[in-house]
Amino acid sequence: MKRLIDDGMYYIIVDIVVQPDYQQMGIGSKIFDRIVEYVDKETPVRGRSSIQLIAEKGKETFYETKGVKKKQFIIQGEKIWDVF
């Protein structure tokens, strides 16, 4: 299962969920790849888009294997959050 929110330029992956019995079978990777394909298809020629997500703690490695870069940003004053 996946949830993706967008406004046509910014896409936020809310969830990619695979039941535990079906994990490590490439299903999550296939879902992620289809999200990227969808965004590519929806982005106009010479247009641009951004895919963002916040990974659940412990799941960061999955996204790193998909080429997602970890970034930090500041919200709520001085609190720093790690975001993928």
Side-chain angles (χ1 to χ4, degrees):
M1 178 198 72
K2 59 94 178 133
R3 288 190 300 158
L4 181 70
I5 299 172
D6 76 273
D7 66 1
M9 182 176 205
Y10 298 101
Y11 295 79
I12 301 171
I13 298 174
V14 178
D15 292 312
I16 294 179
V17 179
V18 178
Q19 290 184 7
D21 291 345
Y22 295 95
Q23 292 178 1
Q24 304 298 317
M25 301 172 116
I27 297 169
S29 290
K30 188 67 101 176
I31 292 170
F32 183 88
D33 293 344
R34 288 192 177 178
I35 290 171
V36 173
E37 290 170 10
Y38 171 80
V39 172
D40 285 343
K41 185 180 121 205
E42 293 298 311
T43 302
V45 175
R46 291 187 300 276
R48 62 182 204 184
S49 58
S50 172
I51 300 174
Q52 304 166 13
L53 64 94
I54 299 175
E56 179 181 337
K57 194 168 189 93
K59 301 294 183 183
E60 301 93 341
T61 303
F62 168 77
Y63 294 104
E64 289 171 342
T65 63
K66 302 304 290 174
V68 175
K69 304 286 187 227
K70 188 174 187 176
K71 298 192 178 205
Q72 292 184 336
F73 72 99
I74 300 172
I75 65 171
Q76 298 177 359
E78 305 216 4
K79 193 164 189 177
I80 296 177
W81 300 81
D82 290 332
V83 177
F84 280 83

Coordinates of all heavy atoms in Angstrom, one line a residue:
M1 N 0.8 -1.2 0.0 CA 0.0 0.0 0.0 C 0.9 1.2 0.0 O 2.0 1.2 0.6 CB -0.9 0.0 1.2 CG -1.8 1.2 1.3 SD -2.5 1.6 2.9 CE -1.1 2.2 3.8
K2 N 0.4 2.3 -0.7 CA 1.1 3.5 -0.6 C 0.1 4.7 -0.6 O -1.0 4.5 -1.0 CB 2.1 3.7 -1.8 CG 1.4 3.6 -3.2 CD 1.0 5.0 -3.7 CE 0.4 4.8 -5.1 NZ -0.8 5.6 -5.2
R3 N 0.6 5.8 -0.1 CA -0.2 7.0 -0.1 C 0.8 8.1 -0.6 O 1.9 8.3 -0.1 CB -0.7 7.4 1.3 CG -1.9 6.5 1.7 CD -2.5 7.0 3.0 NE -1.6 7.1 4.1 CZ -1.8 7.9 5.1 NH1 -2.9 8.7 5.2 NH2 -0.9 7.9 6.1
L4 N 0.3 8.9 -1.6 CA 1.1 9.9 -2.2 C 0.2 11.2 -2.3 O -0.9 11.1 -2.8 CB 1.6 9.5 -3.6 CG 2.4 10.5 -4.4 CD1 3.8 10.6 -3.7 CD2 2.5 10.1 -5.8
I5 N 0.7 12.3 -1.8 CA 0.0 13.5 -1.8 C 0.8 14.5 -2.7 O 2.0 14.5 -2.7 CB -0.1 14.2 -0.4 CG1 -0.9 13.2 0.5 CG2 -0.8 15.5 -0.5 CD1 -0.9 13.7 2.0
D6 N 0.0 15.2 -3.6 CA 0.7 16.1 -4.5 C -0.1 17.3 -4.9 O -1.3 17.3 -4.8 CB 1.2 15.4 -5.7 CG 0.1 15.1 -6.7 OD1 -0.6 14.1 -6.6 OD2 -0.1 15.9 -7.6
D7 N 0.6 18.3 -5.4 CA -0.1 19.5 -5.9 C 0.4 19.7 -7.4 O 0.2 20.7 -8.0 CB 0.2 20.7 -5.1 CG 1.6 21.2 -5.1 OD1 2.5 20.5 -5.8 OD2 1.9 22.2 -4.4
G8 N 1.0 18.7 -8.0 CA 1.4 18.7 -9.3 C 2.9 19.1 -9.5 O 3.5 19.0 -10.5
M9 N 3.5 19.6 -8.4 CA 4.9 19.9 -8.4 C 5.6 19.2 -7.3 O 6.7 18.7 -7.4 CB 5.1 21.4 -8.4 CG 6.6 21.8 -8.4 SD 6.8 23.6 -8.5 CE 8.3 23.8 -9.3
Y10 N 5.0 19.3 -6.1 CA 5.6 18.7 -4.9 C 4.8 17.4 -4.6 O 3.6 17.4 -4.5 CB 5.5 19.7 -3.7 CG 6.4 20.9 -4.0 CD1 5.8 22.1 -4.4 CD2 7.7 20.9 -3.9 CE1 6.5 23.2 -4.6 CE2 8.5 22.0 -4.1 CZ 7.9 23.2 -4.5 OH 8.6 24.3 -4.8
Y11 N 5.5 16.3 -4.4 CA 4.9 15.0 -4.1 C 5.5 14.6 -2.8 O 6.7 14.6 -2.6 CB 5.3 14.0 -5.2 CG 4.7 14.4 -6.6 CD1 5.3 15.3 -7.4 CD2 3.6 13.7 -7.0 CE1 4.8 15.7 -8.6 CE2 3.0 14.1 -8.3 CZ 3.6 15.0 -9.0 OH 3.1 15.4 -10.3
I12 N 4.6 14.2 -1.9 CA 5.0 13.7 -0.6 C 4.6 12.2 -0.4 O 3.4 11.9 -0.5 CB 4.4 14.5 0.5 CG1 4.8 16.0 0.4 CG2 4.8 14.0 1.9 CD1 4.1 17.0 1.3
I13 N 5.6 11.4 -0.2 CA 5.2 10.0 0.0 C 4.9 9.9 1.5 O 5.7 10.2 2.4 CB 6.4 9.1 -0.3 CG1 6.8 9.1 -1.7 CG2 6.1 7.6 0.2 CD1 8.1 8.4 -2.1
V14 N 3.6 9.6 1.8 CA 3.1 9.5 3.1 C 3.4 8.1 3.7 O 3.8 8.0 4.9 CB 1.6 9.8 3.2 CG1 1.1 9.7 4.6 CG2 1.3 11.2 2.6
D15 N 3.1 7.1 2.9 CA 3.3 5.7 3.4 C 3.8 4.8 2.2 O 3.3 5.0 1.1 CB 2.0 5.1 3.9 CG 1.5 5.7 5.2 OD1 2.3 5.9 6.1 OD2 0.3 6.0 5.2
I16 N 4.6 3.9 2.5 CA 4.8 2.7 1.7 C 4.8 1.6 2.7 O 5.7 1.5 3.6 CB 6.1 2.7 0.9 CG1 6.1 3.8 -0.1 CG2 6.4 1.3 0.3 CD1 7.4 3.9 -0.9
V17 N 3.8 0.8 2.7 CA 3.6 -0.3 3.7 C 3.5 -1.6 3.0 O 2.7 -1.8 2.1 CB 2.3 0.0 4.5 CG1 2.1 -1.1 5.6 CG2 2.3 1.4 5.2
V18 N 4.3 -2.6 3.5 CA 4.2 -4.0 3.0 C 4.0 -4.8 4.3 O 4.8 -4.7 5.3 CB 5.5 -4.4 2.3 CG1 5.4 -5.8 1.9 CG2 5.7 -3.5 1.1
Q19 N 3.1 -5.7 4.3 CA 2.9 -6.6 5.4 C 4.1 -7.4 5.7 O 4.8 -7.8 4.8 CB 1.7 -7.6 5.2 CG 0.4 -6.9 5.1 CD -0.8 -7.9 5.0 OE1 -0.6 -9.1 5.0 NE2 -2.0 -7.4 4.8
P20 N 4.4 -7.6 7.0 CA 5.7 -8.2 7.4 C 5.9 -9.6 6.7 O 7.1 -9.9 6.3 CB 5.6 -8.4 8.9 CG 4.7 -7.3 9.3 CD 3.7 -7.1 8.2
D21 N 4.9 -10.4 6.4 CA 5.1 -11.7 5.8 C 5.5 -11.5 4.3 O 6.0 -12.5 3.7 CB 3.8 -12.5 5.8 CG 3.4 -13.0 7.2 OD1 4.3 -12.9 8.1 OD2 2.3 -13.4 7.4
Y22 N 5.4 -10.3 3.8 CA 5.7 -10.1 2.4 C 6.9 -9.2 2.2 O 7.2 -8.8 1.0 CB 4.5 -9.6 1.6 CG 3.4 -10.6 1.6 CD1 2.3 -10.5 2.5 CD2 3.3 -11.6 0.6 CE1 1.3 -11.5 2.5 CE2 2.3 -12.5 0.6 CZ 1.3 -12.5 1.5 OH 0.3 -13.4 1.5
Q23 N 7.5 -8.8 3.3 CA 8.7 -7.9 3.2 C 9.9 -8.8 2.7 O 9.9 -10.0 2.7 CB 9.0 -7.3 4.5 CG 7.9 -6.3 4.9 CD 8.2 -5.6 6.3 OE1 9.1 -5.9 6.9 NE2 7.2 -4.8 6.6
Q24 N 10.9 -8.0 2.2 CA 12.1 -8.6 1.6 C 11.9 -9.4 0.3 O 12.6 -10.4 0.0 CB 12.8 -9.5 2.7 CG 13.2 -8.8 4.0 CD 14.2 -7.7 3.8 OE1 15.1 -7.8 3.0 NE2 13.9 -6.6 4.4
M25 N 10.8 -9.1 -0.4 CA 10.4 -9.7 -1.6 C 10.4 -8.8 -2.8 O 10.0 -9.1 -3.9 CB 9.0 -10.4 -1.5 CG 8.9 -11.4 -0.4 SD 7.2 -12.0 -0.2 CE 7.4 -13.7 -0.7
G26 N 10.9 -7.5 -2.5 CA 10.9 -6.5 -3.6 C 9.7 -5.8 -3.8 O 9.6 -4.9 -4.7
I27 N 8.6 -6.0 -3.0 CA 7.4 -5.3 -3.2 C 7.5 -3.8 -2.9 O 7.0 -3.0 -3.7 CB 6.3 -6.0 -2.3 CG1 6.1 -7.4 -2.8 CG2 5.0 -5.2 -2.4 CD1 5.2 -8.3 -1.9
G28 N 8.1 -3.5 -1.8 CA 8.3 -2.1 -1.4 C 9.1 -1.3 -2.5 O 8.8 -0.2 -2.8
S29 N 10.1 -2.0 -3.0 CA 10.9 -1.4 -4.1 C 10.1 -1.1 -5.3 O 10.2 -0.1 -6.0 CB 12.1 -2.3 -4.4 OG 13.0 -2.3 -3.4
K30 N 9.3 -2.1 -5.7 CA 8.4 -2.0 -6.8 C 7.4 -0.8 -6.7 O 7.2 0.0 -7.6 CB 7.7 -3.3 -7.1 CG 6.9 -3.3 -8.4 CD 7.8 -3.3 -9.6 CE 8.0 -4.6 -10.1 NZ 8.8 -4.7 -11.3
I31 N 6.8 -0.7 -5.5 CA 5.9 0.4 -5.2 C 6.7 1.8 -5.3 O 6.2 2.7 -5.9 CB 5.3 0.3 -3.8 CG1 4.4 -0.9 -3.7 CG2 4.6 1.5 -3.4 CD1 3.9 -1.3 -2.3
F32 N 7.8 1.8 -4.7 CA 8.6 3.1 -4.8 C 8.9 3.4 -6.2 O 8.8 4.6 -6.7 CB 9.9 2.9 -4.0 CG 10.7 4.2 -3.9 CD1 10.5 5.1 -3.0 CD2 11.7 4.4 -4.9 CE1 11.3 6.3 -2.9 CE2 12.5 5.6 -4.8 CZ 12.2 6.5 -3.9
D33 N 9.4 2.4 -7.0 CA 9.7 2.6 -8.4 C 8.5 3.1 -9.2 O 8.6 4.0 -10.0 CB 10.2 1.4 -9.1 CG 11.6 1.0 -8.5 OD1 12.3 1.8 -7.8 OD2 12.0 -0.2 -8.7
R34 N 7.3 2.6 -8.9 CA 6.1 3.1 -9.6 C 5.7 4.5 -9.2 O 5.2 5.2 -10.0 CB 5.0 2.1 -9.3 CG 5.2 0.8 -10.0 CD 3.9 -0.1 -10.0 NE 4.2 -1.2 -10.8 CZ 3.3 -2.2 -11.0 NH1 2.1 -2.1 -10.4 NH2 3.6 -3.3 -11.7
I35 N 6.0 4.9 -8.0 CA 5.8 6.3 -7.6 C 6.6 7.2 -8.4 O 6.2 8.2 -8.9 CB 6.0 6.5 -6.1 CG1 4.9 5.8 -5.2 CG2 6.1 7.9 -5.7 CD1 5.2 5.7 -3.7
V36 N 7.9 6.8 -8.5 CA 8.9 7.7 -9.3 C 8.4 7.7 -10.7 O 8.5 8.8 -11.3 CB 10.3 7.1 -9.1 CG1 11.3 7.9 -10.0 CG2 10.8 7.3 -7.6
E37 N 8.0 6.6 -11.3 CA 7.6 6.6 -12.7 C 6.4 7.5 -12.9 O 6.2 8.2 -13.9 CB 7.2 5.1 -13.1 CG 8.4 4.2 -13.3 CD 8.1 2.8 -13.4 OE1 6.8 2.4 -13.6 OE2 9.0 1.9 -13.4
Y38 N 5.4 7.4 -11.9 CA 4.2 8.2 -12.0 C 4.6 9.7 -12.0 O 4.1 10.5 -12.8 CB 3.3 7.9 -10.8 CG 2.1 8.9 -10.7 CD1 1.0 8.7 -11.5 CD2 2.2 9.9 -9.7 CE1 -0.1 9.6 -11.4 CE2 1.1 10.8 -9.6 CZ 0.0 10.6 -10.4 OH -1.1 11.5 -10.3
V39 N 5.5 10.1 -11.1 CA 5.9 11.5 -11.0 C 6.6 11.9 -12.3 O 6.3 13.0 -12.8 CB 6.8 11.8 -9.7 CG1 7.4 13.2 -9.8 CG2 6.0 11.5 -8.4
D40 N 7.4 11.1 -12.8 CA 8.1 11.4 -14.1 C 7.1 11.6 -15.2 O 7.2 12.6 -16.0 CB 9.1 10.3 -14.5 CG 10.4 10.3 -13.7 OD1 10.7 11.3 -13.1 OD2 11.1 9.3 -13.7
K41 N 6.1 10.8 -15.2 CA 5.0 10.9 -16.3 C 4.2 12.1 -16.1 O 3.8 12.8 -17.1 CB 4.1 9.6 -16.2 CG 3.1 9.5 -17.3 CD 2.3 8.3 -17.1 CE 0.8 8.7 -16.9 NZ -0.1 7.9 -16.3
E42 N 3.9 12.5 -14.9 CA 3.1 13.7 -14.6 C 3.8 15.0 -14.7 O 3.2 16.1 -14.8 CB 2.4 13.6 -13.2 CG 1.5 12.4 -13.1 CD 0.3 12.6 -14.0 OE1 -0.3 13.7 -14.1 OE2 0.0 11.6 -14.7
T43 N 5.1 15.0 -14.7 CA 5.9 16.2 -14.8 C 6.0 16.7 -16.2 O 6.4 15.9 -17.1 CB 7.4 16.0 -14.2 OG1 7.2 15.5 -12.9 CG2 8.2 17.3 -14.2
P44 N 5.5 17.9 -16.5 CA 5.6 18.4 -17.9 C 7.0 18.4 -18.4 O 8.0 18.6 -17.7 CB 5.0 19.8 -17.8 CG 4.4 19.9 -16.5 CD 5.0 18.9 -15.6
V45 N 7.1 18.4 -19.8 CA 8.4 18.6 -20.4 C 9.0 19.9 -20.0 O 8.3 20.9 -20.0 CB 8.2 18.5 -22.0 CG1 9.5 18.8 -22.7 CG2 7.6 17.2 -22.4
R46 N 10.2 19.9 -19.6 CA 10.9 21.1 -19.1 C 10.4 21.5 -17.8 O 10.7 22.6 -17.3 CB 11.0 22.2 -20.2 CG 11.9 21.8 -21.3 CD 12.1 23.0 -22.3 NE 10.9 23.5 -22.9 CZ 10.3 23.1 -23.9 NH1 10.8 22.1 -24.6 NH2 9.2 23.6 -24.4
G47 N 9.5 20.8 -17.2 CA 8.9 21.1 -15.9 C 9.8 20.5 -14.8 O 10.8 19.8 -15.1
R48 N 9.5 20.7 -13.6 CA 10.2 20.1 -12.5 C 9.3 19.7 -11.4 O 8.2 20.2 -11.3 CB 11.3 21.0 -12.0 CG 10.8 22.3 -11.4 CD 11.9 23.2 -10.9 NE 11.4 24.1 -9.9 CZ 12.1 25.0 -9.3 NH1 13.3 25.2 -9.7 NH2 11.5 25.8 -8.4
S49 N 9.8 18.7 -10.6 CA 9.0 18.2 -9.5 C 9.9 17.8 -8.4 O 11.1 17.7 -8.6 CB 8.1 17.1 -9.9 OG 8.9 16.1 -10.5
S50 N 9.4 17.6 -7.2 CA 10.1 17.2 -6.1 C 9.4 16.1 -5.3 O 8.2 16.2 -5.1 CB 10.3 18.4 -5.1 OG 10.9 18.0 -3.9
I51 N 10.1 15.0 -5.0 CA 9.5 14.0 -4.2 C 10.1 14.1 -2.8 O 11.3 14.1 -2.6 CB 9.8 12.6 -4.8 CG1 9.2 12.5 -6.2 CG2 9.2 11.5 -3.9 CD1 9.6 11.2 -6.9
Q52 N 9.3 14.1 -1.8 CA 9.7 14.2 -0.4 C 9.1 13.1 0.5 O 8.0 12.6 0.1 CB 9.4 15.6 0.2 CG 9.9 16.7 -0.7 CD 9.2 18.0 -0.4 OE1 8.6 18.2 0.6 NE2 9.4 19.0 -1.2
L53 N 9.8 12.8 1.5 CA 9.2 11.8 2.5 C 9.9 12.0 3.8 O 11.0 12.5 3.9 CB 9.3 10.4 2.0 CG 10.7 9.9 1.8 CD1 11.2 9.1 3.0 CD2 10.8 9.0 0.6
I54 N 9.3 11.5 4.8 CA 9.9 11.3 6.2 C 9.8 9.8 6.5 O 8.7 9.3 6.5 CB 9.1 12.2 7.2 CG1 9.2 13.6 6.9 CG2 9.7 11.9 8.6 CD1 8.4 14.5 7.8
A55 N 11.0 9.2 6.6 CA 11.0 7.8 6.9 C 10.8 7.4 8.3 O 11.3 8.2 9.2 CB 12.4 7.3 6.4
E56 N 10.2 6.3 8.5 CA 10.0 5.8 9.9 C 11.4 5.4 10.4 O 12.2 4.9 9.6 CB 9.1 4.6 9.8 CG 8.9 3.9 11.2 CD 8.0 2.7 11.1 OE1 7.2 2.6 10.2 OE2 8.1 1.9 12.0
K57 N 11.6 5.6 11.6 CA 12.9 5.3 12.2 C 13.2 3.8 12.0 O 12.3 3.0 12.2 CB 12.9 5.6 13.7 CG 14.3 5.6 14.3 CD 14.3 6.2 15.7 CE 15.7 6.4 16.2 NZ 16.3 7.7 15.9
G58 N 14.4 3.5 11.5 CA 14.7 2.1 11.2 C 14.5 1.7 9.8 O 15.0 0.6 9.4
K59 N 13.8 2.5 9.0 CA 13.5 2.2 7.6 C 14.3 3.0 6.7 O 14.2 3.0 5.4 CB 12.0 2.4 7.3 CG 11.1 1.5 8.1 CD 11.3 0.1 7.8 CE 10.3 -0.8 8.6 NZ 10.5 -2.2 8.4
E60 N 15.3 3.9 7.2 CA 16.0 4.8 6.4 C 16.9 4.0 5.3 O 17.0 4.5 4.2 CB 17.0 5.6 7.2 CG 16.3 6.5 8.3 CD 16.1 5.8 9.6 OE1 16.2 4.6 9.7 OE2 15.9 6.5 10.6
T61 N 17.4 2.9 5.7 CA 18.3 2.1 4.8 C 17.5 1.8 3.5 O 18.1 1.8 2.4 CB 18.8 0.9 5.5 OG1 19.5 1.3 6.7 CG2 19.8 0.1 4.6
F62 N 16.3 1.4 3.6 CA 15.5 1.1 2.4 C 15.5 2.2 1.4 O 15.8 2.0 0.2 CB 14.0 0.8 2.8 CG 13.1 0.7 1.6 CD1 13.1 -0.4 0.8 CD2 12.3 1.7 1.3 CE1 12.3 -0.5 -0.3 CE2 11.4 1.7 0.2 CZ 11.4 0.6 -0.6
Y63 N 15.3 3.4 1.9 CA 15.3 4.6 1.0 C 16.6 4.9 0.5 O 16.8 5.3 -0.7 CB 14.6 5.8 1.7 CG 13.1 5.5 1.9 CD1 12.7 5.2 3.2 CD2 12.2 5.6 0.9 CE1 11.4 5.0 3.5 CE2 10.9 5.3 1.1 CZ 10.5 5.0 2.4 OH 9.1 4.7 2.7
E64 N 17.7 4.7 1.3 CA 19.0 5.0 0.8 C 19.4 4.0 -0.3 O 20.1 4.4 -1.3 CB 20.0 4.8 2.0 CG 19.9 5.9 3.0 CD 20.8 5.6 4.3 OE1 21.1 4.5 4.5 OE2 21.0 6.6 5.0
T65 N 18.9 2.8 -0.3 CA 19.2 1.8 -1.4 C 18.5 2.3 -2.6 O 18.9 1.8 -3.7 CB 18.8 0.4 -1.0 OG1 17.4 0.3 -0.8 CG2 19.5 -0.1 0.2
K66 N 17.5 3.1 -2.5 CA 16.7 3.6 -3.7 C 17.3 4.9 -4.2 O 16.8 5.5 -5.1 CB 15.3 3.8 -3.4 CG 14.5 2.5 -2.9 CD 14.6 1.4 -3.8 CE 13.9 1.5 -5.1 NZ 14.1 0.5 -6.1
G67 N 18.4 5.4 -3.6 CA 19.1 6.6 -4.0 C 18.6 7.8 -3.4 O 19.0 8.9 -3.8
V68 N 17.8 7.7 -2.4 CA 17.2 8.9 -1.7 C 18.3 9.5 -0.8 O 19.0 8.7 -0.1 CB 16.0 8.6 -0.9 CG1 15.5 9.7 -0.1 CG2 14.9 8.0 -1.8
K69 N 18.5 10.8 -0.8 CA 19.5 11.4 0.0 C 18.9 12.0 1.3 O 17.9 12.6 1.3 CB 20.2 12.6 -0.8 CG 20.7 12.2 -2.1 CD 22.0 11.4 -1.9 CE 22.7 11.2 -3.3 NZ 23.1 9.8 -3.5
K70 N 19.6 11.8 2.4 CA 19.1 12.3 3.7 C 19.5 13.7 3.8 O 20.6 14.1 3.5 CB 19.8 11.5 4.8 CG 19.3 11.7 6.2 CD 19.9 10.8 7.1 CE 19.4 10.9 8.5 NZ 19.9 9.9 9.4
K71 N 18.6 14.6 4.3 CA 18.8 16.0 4.5 C 18.3 16.4 5.9 O 17.5 15.7 6.5 CB 18.0 16.8 3.4 CG 18.5 16.5 2.0 CD 18.0 17.5 1.1 CE 18.5 17.1 -0.3 NZ 18.6 18.2 -1.2
Q72 N 18.8 17.5 6.3 CA 18.3 18.0 7.6 C 17.7 19.4 7.4 O 18.1 20.1 6.5 CB 19.5 18.2 8.6 CG 20.1 16.9 9.0 CD 21.2 17.2 10.1 OE1 21.8 18.2 10.1 NE2 21.4 16.2 10.9
F73 N 16.7 19.7 8.2 CA 16.1 21.0 8.1 C 15.6 21.4 9.5 O 15.6 20.6 10.4 CB 14.9 21.0 7.1 CG 13.7 20.3 7.6 CD1 12.6 21.0 8.1 CD2 13.5 18.9 7.4 CE1 11.5 20.3 8.5 CE2 12.4 18.3 7.8 CZ 11.4 19.0 8.4
I74 N 15.4 22.6 9.7 CA 15.0 23.2 11.0 C 13.6 23.6 11.0 O 13.1 24.3 10.1 CB 15.9 24.4 11.4 CG1 17.4 23.9 11.4 CG2 15.5 25.0 12.7 CD1 18.4 25.1 11.5
I75 N 12.9 23.1 12.0 CA 11.5 23.6 12.2 C 11.3 23.9 13.7 O 12.2 23.4 14.5 CB 10.4 22.6 11.7 CG1 10.4 21.3 12.5 CG2 10.6 22.4 10.2 CD1 9.3 20.4 12.2
Q76 N 10.3 24.5 14.1 CA 10.0 24.8 15.5 C 11.3 25.4 16.2 O 11.8 24.9 17.2 CB 9.6 23.6 16.2 CG 8.3 23.0 15.7 CD 7.9 21.7 16.3 OE1 8.5 21.2 17.2 NE2 6.8 21.2 15.9
G77 N 11.8 26.5 15.7 CA 12.9 27.1 16.3 C 14.2 26.4 16.0 O 14.7 26.4 14.9
E78 N 14.8 25.8 17.0 CA 16.1 25.2 16.8 C 16.1 23.7 16.7 O 17.2 23.1 16.6 CB 17.0 25.6 18.0 CG 17.0 27.1 18.2 CD 18.3 27.6 18.7 OE1 19.2 26.8 18.8 OE2 18.4 28.8 19.0
K79 N 14.9 23.1 16.6 CA 14.9 21.6 16.5 C 15.3 21.2 15.1 O 14.7 21.7 14.2 CB 13.5 21.1 16.9 CG 13.5 19.6 17.1 CD 12.2 19.3 17.9 CE 12.2 17.8 18.3 NZ 11.1 17.4 19.0
I80 N 16.2 20.2 15.0 CA 16.6 19.7 13.7 C 16.0 18.3 13.5 O 16.1 17.5 14.3 CB 18.1 19.7 13.6 CG1 18.7 21.1 13.7 CG2 18.6 19.1 12.3 CD1 20.2 21.2 13.7
W81 N 15.4 18.2 12.3 CA 14.8 16.9 12.0 C 15.6 16.3 10.8 O 15.9 17.0 9.8 CB 13.3 17.1 11.6 CG 12.5 17.6 12.7 CD1 12.4 18.9 13.0 CD2 11.7 16.9 13.5 NE1 11.5 19.1 14.1 CE2 11.0 17.8 14.4 CE3 11.4 15.5 13.7 CZ2 10.1 17.4 15.4 CZ3 10.4 15.2 14.7 CH2 9.9 16.1 15.5
D82 N 15.8 15.0 10.8 CA 16.4 14.4 9.6 C 15.3 13.9 8.7 O 14.3 13.3 9.2 CB 17.2 13.1 10.0 CG 18.5 13.5 10.8 OD1 19.0 14.6 10.5 OD2 18.9 12.7 11.6
V83 N 15.4 14.3 7.5 CA 14.3 14.0 6.5 C 15.0 13.4 5.3 O 16.1 13.7 4.9 CB 13.6 15.3 6.1 CG1 12.6 15.0 5.0 CG2 13.0 15.9 7.3
F84 N 14.3 12.4 4.7 CA 14.7 11.9 3.4 C 14.0 12.5 2.3 O 12.9 12.9 2.4 CB 14.5 10.4 3.4 CG 15.5 9.6 4.1 CD1 15.4 9.4 5.5 CD2 16.5 9.0 3.4 CE1 16.3 8.7 6.2 CE2 17.5 8.3 4.1 CZ 17.4 8.1 5.5

